[in-house]
Amino acid sequence: MPSLIETGRTGTAAVDTAGAADRLRNLYYARFGFAVVWAALVALTASTLNPASVALLVVYPVFDVVAAVVDFRTPGAVRPRALLRVNMALSLLTAAGLAVAAASGIPDVLRVWGVWAITAGIVQLAVAISRYRLGAQWAMILSGGISAVAGSRFLLTADGADSLTSIAGYATLGGVFFLVSAARLHRRAAGAA
């Protein structure tokens, strides 16, 4: 196997891109696992806002911040730094907004979640497009678009809502998209080996 010095600029870029795809794949698997477990826990407490359900609501965007920080700090060829910073800021604001909205009830929680789903979906779409050359980003592109549409639905249906089951469904679907992308990156890496 040639060293990085021997491969030159093009070889180094290929190694960086392959490494970035591997790290992204692992992050996507972790995000899938978290989303599914989180959604199951939310589904168990979907009809009430109590300390456990509020903590779960706040944890989701905080986990999103952690995932974005890991992504941001991981060396690689494709790191949309500005977009990751925007994502971190949106998720931190959402965590705080959810904590405040929980005092007013489920409709306000759904409104905050809806605004976040729209804005985070647009950012996810932009990140996925910028990473398209890594492969397996079509699911992330689709996920970003669906997130924006789902966010609009949260806003439109928030009045009179008495359950958080739609948020659990949203997280599960997002997790499935992360799994699809991770699996495709895994297959691509196995095919390149």
Side-chain angles (χ1 to χ4, degrees):
M1 178 173 191
S3 72
L4 289 180
I5 295 171
E6 294 170 329
T7 60
R9 193 171 188 83
T10 304
T12 302
V15 169
D16 285 348
T17 301
D22 286 347
R23 289 183 292 276
L24 201 55
R25 178 198 65 215
N26 294 338
L27 182 60
Y28 286 174
Y29 278 134
R31 292 192 72 154
F32 162 72
F34 175 82
V36 170
V37 170
W38 182 89
L41 292 172
V42 167
L44 293 173
T45 62
S47 61
T48 61
L49 284 175
N50 56 47
S53 61
V54 173
L56 283 168
L57 288 169
V58 172
V59 163
Y60 195 91
V62 169
F63 181 82
D64 195 60
V65 172
V66 170
V69 168
V70 169
D71 193 351
F72 188 86
R73 290 182 157 185
T74 302
V78 184
R79 257 183 327 169
R81 296 177 75 82
L83 291 171
L84 290 172
R85 282 187 181 114
V86 169
N87 184 57
M88 288 181 242
L90 286 171
S91 295
L92 283 173
L93 287 171
T94 300
L98 287 168
V100 171
S104 298
I106 289 175
D108 283 346
V109 167
L110 290 175
R111 287 183 191 98
V112 171
W113 197 279
V115 170
W116 182 46
I118 292 168
T119 56
I122 292 167
V123 171
Q124 182 181 17
L125 182 63
V127 168
I129 290 169
S130 74
R131 289 181 164 159
Y132 195 76
R133 71 176 192 208
L134 288 178
Q137 292 300 302
W138 67 266
M140 293 293 92
I141 291 170
L142 190 56
S143 178
I146 289 173
S147 180
V149 171
S152 300
R153 186 173 181 278
F154 289 135
L155 291 174
L156 293 172
T157 61
D159 287 338
D162 60 357
S163 175
L164 298 171
T165 54
S166 58
I167 290 177
Y170 167 86
T172 302
L173 182 59
V176 168
F177 281 121
F178 279 116
L179 178 62
V180 168
S181 282
R184 291 185 63 85
L185 285 169
H186 191 90
R187 273 199 306 267
R188 183 176 172 159

